[in-house]
Amino acid sequence: MGDVDAVESVASEVAGIWARVLEIMRPNLNAASFSTWFAQAVPLRVDGDTLVIGAPNQFTRDWLVKYTDRTREALAEVLGRAAGVIFVVDPQASGGVPEPAPVIEVAPVPASSSSGEPEGVRPEPPARPAGSTFDPAQTFETFVMGDSNQFAYSAALAVAERPGRAYNPLFIYGGVGLGKTHLLQAIGSYVADHFPHMRVRYVTAEQFMNEFIGSIGDKQRIDGFRQRYRTNDVILVDDIQVLSKKEGTQDAFFHTFNTLHQAGRQIVLASDRPPGEIPMLEERLRSRFSSGLVVDIQPPDLEMRIAILRRTAAGDDEHGGKDVSDDVLAFIAERVSSSIRELNSALLRVLFYGSLSHKAIDIALAQQVLRDSFPEHSARPISVATIQSEVCRHYGVSRTELVGAKRTQSIVYPRQIAMYLARELTDHSLPRIGSEFGNRDHTTVLHAVTKIQKLMSEHRDVYDQIQTISSAIRQKS
Ligand code: ADP
Ligand code: MG
């Protein structure tokens, strides 16, 4: 089956589901409110197992959010299982105008871990008083530890147990989606639970920047800004790399940092790269950042990825707990290796599509969903040898024939398909591919590629054959 069809059918399925959700909700809502608010909501996409609904502006979105529980109930009724709903501002969704970004006065809790933080979603509006809540899904208990993150984990725990007295500052860095925010949140929860007298605050460097900029030139707001930051016992600053190039903010940050540090308050910083690699970071900040303990988080290895998925599948218990077989978990873990966020999101998407289509959660389903979601993803590079052996198996020819000189159609066609796939699925150059097919010239490879492309666009069955073979290859890689 074609990817395009699959994507389209998912989109129309999502639209159909939303229509049914509205049907269920309509009788329970005042008709005027319904047409004012829900009529403007547009189903955008599925993130993990969460349905993302767009509103044309912040005002509408805030109104819709109040109906989250009811919407979720209606969605559960339609799907026959629980699933999440979030409302986001999406000006494109109905041609509305974007609102100016509000100056954020308090620290909102980041999106919960189970659905990951959907790309492109605007920050939650300020809803809770500063530092009062941390994400209960992102604690030390829910953090899976392995070789790749054990130092960061231990350091974070030490800091949480003895704020201001273990490592100060603690600087955690690592790639996107590897658990930095999770650890900051875990520290926050831990401190809030164990040291209720302490003031602990989580903030992204971006919020810090906005608050700082919003306070410039207004004495009262500057005082408020200082007050807010300088009275904290523990401050957790996320995504510090955005301070890069922002000189004014760096200055404010430097002074805040010094005040807190000198007073023995705990500072924890997270960044996507080490202090030395943040461009345009003032030297004095760089050396402050490195003056405590700097720890990194590396991408998890396969075993750990499986452990994380197992946890996520089990932890999906607000949705009734899912028993997902190990081979499906391994299948996903082998293919999604860069980020834990993507890893979890891939699994949740598989579960979600499984319930949409009432299909069993098996490798075939995982394969289809992953192909749609991560077309370029593959844990290990695919080798030409794997491609050749799969093509041979499919067409019943031997490898010797495939790379040999014979020019009968029954051999030439599979040979050309294998060359085409080698071009599509590996990074190898045309000459390199030629050399793996009995030292053929690169023009021969190019000819094969163009010819198969043409055949694929004209004949659905050729397209399907190639899809089948390439899924088989991906599964073996
Ligand atoms: P980062 O801030 O490094 O980009 P996050 O902390 O937001 O990444 O992590 C992305 C997602 O992966 C979150 O849902 C988080 O809870 C989850 N996650 C990350 N690391 C782990 C881990 N070791 N164990 C369990 N979940 C994790
Ligand atoms: Mg983060």
Side-chain angles (χ1 to χ4, degrees), residues 74-294:
L75 180 62
E77 205 177 315
V78 172
L79 296 179
R81 73 174 280 247
V85 175
I86 57 170
F87 296 97
V88 301
V89 177
D90 184 88
Q92 267 103 53
S94 38
V97 212
E99 308 242 308
V103 173
I104 296 163
E105 294 288 342
V106 294
V109 172
S112 114
S113 71
S114 58
S115 58
E117 292 167 28
E119 231 90 90
V121 172
R122 299 191 165 213
E124 296 284 315
R128 301 161 218 248
S132 67
T133 347
F134 289 90
D135 184 353
Q138 308 201 52
T139 61
F140 286 117
E141 287 75 31
T142 61
F143 192 83
V144 177
M145 201 189 49
D147 291 345
S148 62
N149 61 16
Q150 59 171 332
F151 292 116
Y153 173 90
S154 315
L157 188 59
V159 158
E161 285 170 342
R162 304 172 57 231
R165 291 159 54 222
Y167 314 106
N168 205 8
L170 172 62
F171 189 104
I172 303 171
Y173 74 90
V176 174
L178 295 184
K180 302 181 297 294
T181 299
H182 189 135
L183 284 179
L184 295 191
Q185 289 285 320
I187 296 172
S189 288
Y190 190 99
V191 172
D193 287 352
H194 292 80
F195 310 103
H197 61 283
M198 284 194 172
R199 290 178 61 104
V200 46
R201 178 174 166 91
Y202 167 93
V203 68
T204 66
E206 173 125 34
Q207 284 162 21
F208 179 90
M209 212 155 71
N210 287 342
E211 290 182 37
F212 169 68
I213 293 165
S215 73
I216 289 173
D218 178 336
K219 168 95 177 61
Q220 227 177 337
R221 292 182 84 172
I222 291 185
D223 289 345
F225 173 78
R226 292 215 176 107
Q227 182 75 8
R228 243 184 339 270
Y229 282 97
R230 299 188 181 180
T231 52
N232 287 296
D233 298 288
V234 178
I235 181 152
L236 311 160
V237 189
D238 209 348
D239 294 320
I240 196 86
Q241 74 277 355
V242 308
L243 289 189
S244 155
K245 296 181 192 158
K246 306 288 187 323
E247 276 173 33
T249 317
Q250 287 191 19
D251 201 52
F253 195 79
F254 181 77
H255 291 296
T256 308
F257 185 103
N258 281 347
T259 310
L260 290 169
H261 196 252
Q262 278 157 17
R265 311 290 172 74
Q266 179 68 49
I267 301 164
V268 185
L269 309 165
S271 162
D272 69 358
R273 64 201 85 173
E277 288 174 21
I278 303 177
M280 309 289 290
L281 185 68
E282 282 182 44
E283 188 45 45
R284 55 183 184 162
L285 268 184
R286 197 184 308 261
S287 66
R288 287 292 190 293
F289 288 175
S290 319
S291 65
L293 180 69
V294 177

